[in-house]
């Protein structure tokens, strides 16, 4: 099969000393990004992206992808030990993780979360190995009309699925599109919104915007909330202590939640806009609904940790599918990776896997190895990473700002970009404060030029007629999907209640069946 | 990020003191008003750009006009919703600093002082140089956030600056601005 031979080639590509070292560096940096509260994977990727400037694209993507999924592992440590999620996708891990630490079971909780993350990451890597080529070959048939509609559909999904106010999500996306129009018009070469600045002729790069919104914005938001006054209550953990390892019963009890979380997470991750946070919260609700003992959830029940942990790792792998096959980022983190593709001279889109197989398959192959590394690093270095989480924000905040400033300056040696970064940091603070979505803004900024170019090409093909969107089968299908997405908020309540009713019924049946089975066993 | 919403009744909104001075306008409404003004200027400039080229193709003003008009409409709709709202919804995205965060207060003044120091740091980055500016910036901000640990602030300012220099200048050859150090 093609997938196997491509995967074998991918493995051969990454089996160089440099790539393995980059993978290891990415894994370690991802863990550090994960354990630092207030620095999510988006901020970590944005700050580290300029570091990859001098690397070859395969090495760079291997390292950054490892940072991305490594952050999912690392975020769990703080969720369990200090009840503070390292990043949003591990919020659900605090619900049962911290109570487990209070019970003196921090060690087994962290090991089981690492095992769940490993299984989910590996399942995700297997699924992406087969799904990505199929989707890519289908997407290769897309023309400009379909590409334009896919971009719009991707943003629509992000806005519809986004938690909170959808109108504010739409406004955030429009802000991103507006920033994307700065620079030379690709059609006629006329300058737009450059105000005579030579530096703005090439447009506003997404790197200062992303670093500002996610890096500086997070620091300002944490400071506003009093993060510099925070005193951390911390549960210690040691690999040598008695009861560090999970019991056989733990493994038995968590096998099904890990399996469910892996499949659910990957499915949610493939959907643009949904992401790891939604996946982990959905998994927690699912586990609670189907559990025979739902009353134990929230009081230190391990399936309440292992399910969401598996889901967020599988989702982070799943979100790479639309990225590799369509060039459409489904989350802020993958938007930064798309920006990286452009920076490394690659064209994201349906032809990426065909034209750059070493790059795409090297990335997929690195996930298998990266997950093994993360499992080992997690289990044996938990105490070391836990100690990083003890560094207070009042020390970390200024250091992060210096990293952001240097990282931004390093890309184009432009002071204007560093100033844009700070301005975007302040904007990011207010966006978070008032419920707007920095993620939607960055995704729109990355997709803006693609949307404009594909619409321009579409209009040239159709002689200016919008009827072309209805004449082509695939584009008509995408329009139907978009109509469905628009109606989701209207029907959302009914769909949600229908699903939760069905899941509750399954859970009730399981609880009713349990005593019967026990009596039969006796 | 996981939004958690806390609802503050309008009557108890921070501008209680403004009771009798008319209806309180939330900071969010001011933010949205600023956004509308921004997009009004953006749209006005977009109308100076061509909608279609002479060849009948999409002109440089095509996208900006659509974006500008849509953004003004969406921002205005949000503003109306906010002004009409009986309650002021404060959306707090992911509580990174844990359960205790609510008791730590809000520090808008400190945040703006920090932003001002950042602005000064960035504006002198080229003239003074990345290394000296970083050392001073770190010292000032570390003392601002934690005045009790002066020695720690000095040690960290020197150590982190040295680490940054080695990482960006020596390892990555990023070409950081030398500033006054170029004269030595």
């Amino acid at each position: 099969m093609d997938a196997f031979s491509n995967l074998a080639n991918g493995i051969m590509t990454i089996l160089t000393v440099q790539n393995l070292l980059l993978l290891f560096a990415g894994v370690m940096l991802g863990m550090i990004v994960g354990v630092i509260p207030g620095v999510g994977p988006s901020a970590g990727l944005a700050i580290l992206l300029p570091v990859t400037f001098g690397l070859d694209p395969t090495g760079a993507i291997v390292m950054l992808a490892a940072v991305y999924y490594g952050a999912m592992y690392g975020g769990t440590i703080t969720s369990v030990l200090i009840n503070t999620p390292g990043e949003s996708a591990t919020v659900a891990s605090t619900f049962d993780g911290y109570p487990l630490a209070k019970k003196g079971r921090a060690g087994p909780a962290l090991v089981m979360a690492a095992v769940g993350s490993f299984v989910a990451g590996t399942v995700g890597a297997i699924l992406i190995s087969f799904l990505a080529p199929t989707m890519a070959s289908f997407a290769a048939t897309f023309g400009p009309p379909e590409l334009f509609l896919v971009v719009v559909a991707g943003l629509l999904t992000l806005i519809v699925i986004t938690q909170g106010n959808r109108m504010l999500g739409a406004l955030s996306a429009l802000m991103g599109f507006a920033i994307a129009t700065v620079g030379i018009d690709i059609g006629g070469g006329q300058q737009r919104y450059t105000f005579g600045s030579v530096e703005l002729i090439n447009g506003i790069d997404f790197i200062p915007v992303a670093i500002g919104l996610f890096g500086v914005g997070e620091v300002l938001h944490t400071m506003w909330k009093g993060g510099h006054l925070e005193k951390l209550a911390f549960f210690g953990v040691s690999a040598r202590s008695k009861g560090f390892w999970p019991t056989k019963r733990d493994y038995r009890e968590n096998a099904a939640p890990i399996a469910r979380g892996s499949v659910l997470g990957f499915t949610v991750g493939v959907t643009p806009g949904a992401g790891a946070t939604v996946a982990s919260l959905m998994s927690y609700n699912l586990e609670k609904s189907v559990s025979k003992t739902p009353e134990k959830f929230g009081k230190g029940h391990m399936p309440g940790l292992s399910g969401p942990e598996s889901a967020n790792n599988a989702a982070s792998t799943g979100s790479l599918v639309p990225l590799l096959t369509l060039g459409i980022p489904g989350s802020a983190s993958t938007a930064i990776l798309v920006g990286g593709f452009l920076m490394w001279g690659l064209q994201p889109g349906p032809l990426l896997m065909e034209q750059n197989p070493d790059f795409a398959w090297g990335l997929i192959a690195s996930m298998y190895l990266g997950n093994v590394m993360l499992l080992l690093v997690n289990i044996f270095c938990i105490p070391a990473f836990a100690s990083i989480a003890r560094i207070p924000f009042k020390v970390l905040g200024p250091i992060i700002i210096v990293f952001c400033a240097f990282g931004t300056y390093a890309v184009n040696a432009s002071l204007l970009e560093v100033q844009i970064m700070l301005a975007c940091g302040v904007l990011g603070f207010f966006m978070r404060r008032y419920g707007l979505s920095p993620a939607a803004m960055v995704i729109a900024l990355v997709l803006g030029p693609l949307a404009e170019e594909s619409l321009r090409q579409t209009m040239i093909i159709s002689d200016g007629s919008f009827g072309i969107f209805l004449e082509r089968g695939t584009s008509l299908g995408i329009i139907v999907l978009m109509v469905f997405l628009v109606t989701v908020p209207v029907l959302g309540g009914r769909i949600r209640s229908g699903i939760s009713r069905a899941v509750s019924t399954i859970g009730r049946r399981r609880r009713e069946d349990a005593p019967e089975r026990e009596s039969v066993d006796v | 990020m996981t939004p958690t919403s806390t609802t503050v009744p309008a009557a108890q909104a921070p501008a209680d003191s403004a009771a009798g001075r008319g209806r309180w306008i939330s900071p969010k409404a001011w933010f949205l008003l600023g956004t509308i003004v921004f997009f009004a200027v953006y749209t006005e400039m977009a109308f100076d750009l061509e909608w279609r080229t002479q060849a009948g193709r999409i002109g440089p003003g095509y996208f900006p006009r659509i974006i500008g008009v849509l953004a003004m409409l969406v921002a205005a709709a949000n503003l109306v919703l906010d002004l009409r709202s009986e309650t002021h919804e404060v959306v707090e995205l992911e509580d990174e600093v844990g359960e205790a965060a609510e008791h730590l207060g809000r520090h808008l003044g400190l945040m703006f002082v920090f932003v001002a120091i950042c602005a000064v740091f960035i504006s002198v980055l080229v003239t003074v140089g990345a290394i000296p500016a970083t050392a001073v910036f770190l010292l000032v901000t570390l003392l601002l956030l934690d005045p009790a640990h002066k020695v720690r602030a000095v040690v960290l300012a020197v150590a982190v600056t040295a680490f940054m220099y080695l990482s960006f200048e020596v390892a990555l050859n990023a070409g950081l601005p030398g500033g006054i150090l170029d004269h030595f």
Side-chain angles (χ1 to χ4, degrees):
Chain A
M1 276 178 78
D2 271 358
F4 288 111
S5 59
N6 284 327
L7 191 58
N9 286 336
I11 291 169
M12 293 311 290
T13 305
I14 62 153
L15 282 183
T16 65
V17 176
Q18 188 195 352
N19 285 344
L20 289 176
L21 285 173
L22 285 170
L23 181 64
F24 183 69
V27 160
M28 299 301 273
L29 286 168
M31 287 290 294
I32 293 170
V33 164
V35 295
I36 299 175
V39 181
S42 320
L45 287 172
I47 295 167
L48 289 168
L49 186 57
V51 174
T52 64
F53 198 55
L55 299 173
D56 76 289
T58 308
I61 190 67
V62 162
M63 182 178 137
L64 285 186
V67 171
Y68 178 40
Y69 52 76
M72 299 293 166
Y73 278 73
T76 319
I77 295 176
T78 48
S79 293
V80 172
L81 297 182
I82 54 176
N83 200 23
T84 302
E87 43 88 29
S88 62
T90 55
V91 169
S93 307
T94 60
F95 302 160
D96 278 284
Y98 188 64
L100 276 164
K102 275 189 186 168
K103 283 181 179 176
R105 301 211 70 211
L110 287 171
V111 173
M112 191 50 75
V115 170
S117 299
F118 166 73
V119 172
T122 307
V123 167
I126 293 168
L127 290 175
I128 200 174
S129 304
F130 294 98
L131 190 61
T134 313
M135 262 186 84
S137 57
F138 174 61
T141 63
F142 284 12
E146 287 80 18
L147 269 181
F148 174 74
L149 289 174
V150 164
V151 169
V152 178
L155 274 168
L156 210 57
T157 322
L158 183 79
I159 292 164
V160 168
I161 293 177
T162 193
Q163 291 164 315
N165 190 328
R166 290 186 183 92
M167 292 278 275
L168 290 171
L171 182 60
S172 313
L174 287 164
M175 283 176 168
F177 274 137
I179 295 174
T181 58
V182 176
I184 286 184
D185 164 45
I186 20 175
Q190 196 176 334
Q191 289 186 30
R192 298 186 297 199
Y193 306 104
T194 56
F195 305 101
S197 164
V198 179
E199 285 186 277
L200 287 177
I201 288 177
N202 285 331
I204 294 179
D205 198 10
F206 90 100
I207 292 176
V209 177
I211 293 181
L213 287 176
F214 298 113
V216 181
E218 298 261 6
V219 168
L220 297 181
H221 194 256
T222 309
M223 190 177 293
W224 172 74
K225 288 193 341 181
H228 57 291
L229 302 175
E230 163 199 33
K231 286 187 173 58
L232 299 172
F234 204 92
F235 283 101
V237 60
S238 165
R240 289 178 192 164
S241 68
K242 199 178 159 190
F244 177 79
W245 300 99
T247 59
K248 275 183 187 170
R249 193 184 160 198
D250 288 330
Y251 284 109
R252 256 199 323 271
E253 201 177 56
N254 289 282
I258 288 171
R260 281 191 289 265
S262 303
V263 177
L264 173 75
F266 187 84
T267 313
V268 173
V270 171
T271 314
T277 307
V278 176
S280 61
L281 291 169
M282 280 175 74
S283 169
Y284 185 83
N285 288 333
L286 175 71
E287 289 313 318
K288 196 173 175 182
S289 301
V290 301
S291 171
K292 293 169 189 169
T293 53
E295 69 284 353
K296 287 186 183 173
F297 278 75
K299 296 170 189 165
H301 192 41
M302 216 175 273
L305 172 71
S306 60
E309 267 308 305
S310 312
N312 69 32
N313 275 272
S316 61
T317 311
S319 67
L320 294 173
V321 174
L323 179 77
L324 286 174
T325 57
L326 296 167
I328 305 291
S331 65
S333 304
T334 45
I336 292 163
L337 292 178
V338 168
F341 288 8
L342 297 169
M343 199 175 88
W344 305 319
L346 298 168
Q347 185 59 48
L351 297 177
L352 181 80
M353 290 192 82
E354 204 175 287
Q355 290 172 348
N356 303 281
D358 285 354
F359 173 83
W361 285 99
L363 166 64
I364 293 170
S366 75
M367 289 178 193
Y368 292 91
L369 203 54
N371 274 296
V372 177
M373 273 188 194
L374 274 164
L375 179 67
L376 298 174
V377 164
N378 253 270
I379 290 177
F380 295 107
C381 303
I382 283 172
F385 285 105
S387 64
I388 294 172
R390 294 185 205 208
I391 301 173
F393 172 77
K394 55 194 170 194
V395 170
L396 274 179
I399 296 173
I400 292 171
I401 296 289
V402 174
F403 255 110
C404 292
F406 280 23
T408 307
Y409 188 86
V411 180
N412 293 319
S414 162
L415 190 64
L416 179 68
E417 290 193 346
V418 188
Q419 290 162 347
I420 290 171
M421 176 211 73
L422 182 63
C424 287
V426 176
L427 177 67
F429 165 76
F430 284 111
M431 287 182 80
R432 293 195 58 181
R433 177 86 186 86
Y434 301 133
L436 280 85
S437 165
M441 183 171 152
V442 168
I443 293 173
L445 171 61
V446 170
L447 291 179
L450 176 64
E452 190 169 1
E453 195 183 349
S454 53
L455 181 63
R456 195 183 298 274
Q457 289 168 343
T458 305
M459 291 295 107
I460 291 170
I461 294 168
S462 69
D463 278 335
S465 165
F466 282 94
I468 192 170
F469 291 115
L470 301 170
E471 289 161 8
R472 297 161 68 107
T474 316
S475 60
L476 200 60
I478 302 170
I479 290 173
V480 171
L481 176 76
M482 283 160 67
V483 172
F484 171 73
L485 284 171
V486 173
T487 54
V488 161
V490 182
L491 304 171
R494 286 182 189 175
I495 295 171
R496 261 197 304 273
S497 60
I499 292 171
S500 61
R501 242 196 332 269
V503 171
S504 303
T505 310
I506 294 168
R508 201 172 48 244
R509 279 192 197 143
R510 279 166 58 91
R511 284 190 287 280
E512 284 166 4
D513 288 352
E516 287 170 26
R517 255 191 246 127
E518 274 166 22
S519 60
V520 171
D521 289 346
V522 170
Chain B
M1 301 287 156
T2 309
T4 53
S5 297
T6 50
T7 306
V8 182
Q12 293 170 17
D16 306 337
S17 56
R21 277 187 281 142
R23 187 182 167 80
W24 179 67
I25 298 176
S26 68
K28 182 179 170 182
W30 286 112
F31 176 79
L32 290 168
L33 202 60
T35 309
I36 293 171
V37 172
F38 170 82
F39 275 110
V41 175
Y42 176 89
T43 312
E44 199 274 326
M45 290 174 76
F47 274 88
D48 289 340
L49 300 165
E50 284 178 323
W51 174 257
R52 291 237 178 227
T53 62
Q54 286 180 338
R57 292 181 177 173
I58 288 177
Y62 189 90
F63 249 59
R65 285 189 203 182
I66 295 172
I67 292 165
V69 171
L70 269 178
M72 278 200 296
L73 289 174
V74 174
N78 275 307
L79 179 64
V80 170
L81 287 174
D82 188 70
L83 291 174
R84 277 185 166 185
S85 172
E86 286 299 313
T87 55
H88 293 287
E89 192 183 23
V90 181
V91 179
E92 289 179 7
L93 298 169
E94 194 204 338
D95 195 10
E96 295 98 342
V97 287
E99 288 173 339
E102 289 304 312
H103 310 294
L104 296 174
R106 301 287 180 242
H107 304 268
L108 198 63
L110 175 81
M111 195 202 81
F112 277 120
V113 170
F114 187 80
V115 171
I117 296 170
C118 291
V120 173
F121 165 58
I122 288 168
S123 62
V124 301
L125 200 64
V126 173
T127 48
V128 174
I131 301 306
T134 302
V136 175
F137 168 78
L138 283 172
L139 185 66
V140 172
T141 48
L142 287 167
L143 286 173
L144 175 78
L145 297 179
D146 188 12
H149 293 94
K150 291 185 178 60
V151 177
R152 185 171 79 178
V154 174
V155 171
L156 276 172
V158 173
V160 173
T161 305
F163 174 74
M164 292 290 183
Y165 175 77
L166 291 173
S167 307
F168 281 85
E169 198 61 26
V170 178
L172 296 171
N173 197 19
L176 296 175
I180 53 171
L181 293 183
D182 285 342
H183 300 294
F184 296 98

